[in-house]
Amino acid sequence: MFCPVCRADYPADWKRCPKDEATLLPSQHVGKYRIDKVIGVGGMGTVYKAYNPDTQSAVALKMINGSVQGQEAARQRFQREAAAVAALRTRHAVNIFDFGADVDGTLYLVMEYLVGHPLRSEIAAPPASMPVARIHLAFDGALRGLGAAHRAQITHRDLKPENVFIADTDDGEVAKVLDFGIARMQGGQHALTQSGALMGTPAYMAPEQIAGNRGDIGPWSDVYAMGLILYEMFTGASPFAADSVTEVLSRVLGRNFAPLAALRPDLPGPVPALVERNVCRSSLLAVE
């Protein structure tokens, strides 16, 4: 067994590295790809920096977590992420190059390896504030990626600052939408979660997601989340931040938040009005 953190080998029946508690892999290689290091861990999978010997370049390889590997719905969700994102034709969503199963049946997908940082690292807490030019770059790029997804009948359902990445490219910085792991294809045939299941990150979930109204979830749910992200970029905090998940959900359903205009009186009037209209859901917006 191979540790992707300390890069040591261990007996075949070991599951975790005794040095760093990392999940051990059967081998340093997954298919033709060589695992170099861990770059992220989530509820559905772990992302590694890997090496593609054919192109002699770095890639990001995401493997489904062992805890959900045996769940057919989770496997289908993971495969759907690969198909959904690979179909997009925009530089504002992460590119997917390959999808497969390792010798032990573990599913993996291969994506472009991004150099840069998540939007979360740029959001500044008061009294500092994120520069307007940076807000524009991140928000415009994320909306472009989201618009492409919506035109392809894909609803992301888990938009948050961690899933917007500012990538350094030869053409300058590009904002990209990441992690379509719980994306939903419109039409119902790919809606794999059960009604009532809480899928997403509570502070950025639309009221219809919290209520479990699966049939009411659509592109507008993503636009709502983007409104929350915009609020957070301007203020440094989520409008519904609280000490517990229960309180967060209560504040979302009660539309209980500090008005943007009160926190940022320097902003032109139409900006707080737009953000608050979205957060209050007095009307639905659409991404063109």
Side-chain angles (χ1 to χ4, degrees):
M1 300 295 284
F2 172 75
C3 175
V5 176
C6 70
R7 306 179 66 79
D9 292 314
Y10 293 98
D13 59 342
W14 288 28
K15 301 298 183 183
R16 290 192 174 276
C17 176
K19 297 178 182 177
D20 46 52
E21 289 297 312
T23 300
L24 299 178
L25 302 175
S27 166
Q28 187 179 1
H29 288 82
V30 176
K32 66 182 180 182
Y33 304 98
R34 185 192 71 211
I35 300 297
D36 288 340
K37 66 177 182 179
V38 178
I39 56 178
V41 179
M44 280 290 294
T46 301
V47 182
Y48 304 90
K49 180 182 180 182
Y51 176 77
N52 182 342
D54 292 342
T55 60
Q56 299 183 21
S57 62
V59 294
L61 187 146
K62 181 176 181 178
M63 297 184 69
I64 192 169
N65 285 342
S67 60
V68 295
Q69 170 70 16
Q71 302 174 18
E72 184 57 28
R75 290 175 62 88
Q76 291 183 50
R77 248 193 331 267
F78 192 80
Q79 187 166 6
R80 182 183 61 202
E81 176 182 4
V85 181
L88 301 181
R89 296 292 179 264
T90 173
R91 68 177 186 148
H92 294 288
V94 63
N95 290 321
I96 287 187
F97 303 139
D98 195 8
F99 176 84
D102 201 11
V103 291
D104 64 352
T106 301
L107 299 179
Y108 65 87
L109 60 86
V110 181
M111 304 169 285
E112 62 177 322
Y113 177 71
L114 299 176
V115 177
H117 56 274
L119 172 60
R120 169 63 68 196
S121 67
E122 287 200 37
I123 295 177
S129 61
M130 190 172 170
V132 172
R134 300 299 296 176
I135 292 176
H136 180 270
L137 182 146
F139 199 65
D140 179 72
L143 285 181
R144 290 176 185 274
L146 192 58
H150 289 173
R151 287 189 291 273
Q153 303 297 300
I154 301 166
T155 301
H156 189 285
R157 298 202 299 170
D158 194 22
L159 290 164
K160 52 188 175 183
E162 289 79 2
N163 284 340
V164 176
F165 195 87
I166 311 300
D168 296 326
T169 77
D170 291 341
D171 297 322
E173 291 183 308
V174 177
K176 292 177 177 277
V177 178
L178 308 181
D179 201 351
F180 285 77
I182 64 169
R184 181 181 185 218
M185 303 291 291
Q186 297 303 300
Q189 68 272 27
H190 297 293
L192 300 178
T193 55
Q194 297 297 315
S195 180
L198 211 59
M199 299 295 293
T201 303
Y204 302 94
M205 291 171 63
E208 60 270 20
Q209 288 178 270
I210 294 173
N213 297 330
R214 189 174 61 184
D216 294 337
I217 297 171
W220 49 88
S221 307
D222 287 344
V223 176
Y224 172 84
M226 288 303 300
L228 302 187
I229 292 172
L230 184 58
Y231 179 105
E232 187 166 357
M233 286 192 288
F234 278 124
T235 67
S238 167
F240 301 118
D243 294 332
S244 69
V245 172
T246 300
E247 188 177 353
V248 168
L249 299 180
S250 175
R251 294 188 66 179
V252 171
L253 294 176
R255 277 60 162 183
N256 180 15
F257 67 98
L260 179 58
L263 300 177
R264 290 292 305 272
D266 57 309
L267 294 174
V271 174
L274 175 67
V275 174
E276 290 170 20
R277 184 177 67 177
N278 186 52
V279 175
C280 290
R281 298 299 289 271
S282 59
S283 65
L284 296 178
L285 307 177
V287 174
E288 298 297 335

